[in-house]
Amino acid sequence: MTTGIPGNDATTPSVDELTTQADRTREELSHSMKGLTDDTDATVRAVTAAKHQAQEIAEHAATLVRDTVTHAIDSAHTPAVREHLDQAATLARDTAAHLAHLTTEHTPSQLQVQVGRVARAARSNPKPVLVAATAAILTALVLRRLLDGRR
């Protein structure tokens, strides 16, 4: 067990023993890393699946709400209905401004650039934005009601 180096005692491991220990440690680390990688991959897959499912639900709800709002706007002929729609539009604009402020604080710069492009396009044609904002508010209310019903 000695290495033949003066001053070493019998408890000093030889080069072969150290190599064996290093190989064993390397193998254990490899197994640990593979386990961590597998766990991370599984987590990423689960998060991605949940994200896609949430997007599909939100898109479906948005389509339903958008269709309903479009129908409501098309059939709104009374002053009272138009007043409610104007109030909803004002609420939608205020909510959008508040959300814009919050997202600006918490959104990466690349995403902000893309959102800026969409905002410029929306400003050039505000009617679809009004419909979309109203649809978003109604979607949020429908989702809230659906989620409250599950509890």
Side-chain angles (χ1 to χ4, degrees), residues 16-63:
D16 291 337
E17 290 172 327
L18 289 173
T19 303
T20 303
Q21 287 177 356
D23 289 343
R24 195 174 321 123
T25 302
R26 191 177 302 114
E27 187 175 322
E28 288 172 4
L29 286 173
S30 175
H31 287 300
S32 296
M33 289 302 295
K34 182 173 177 3
L36 289 173
T37 302
D38 291 345
D39 290 347
T40 302
D41 289 346
T43 302
V44 167
R45 283 192 301 274
V47 167
T48 302
K51 176 185 166 190
H52 288 302
Q53 184 179 12
Q55 286 174 336
E56 289 173 3
I57 291 169
E59 288 171 5
H60 180 68
T63 300

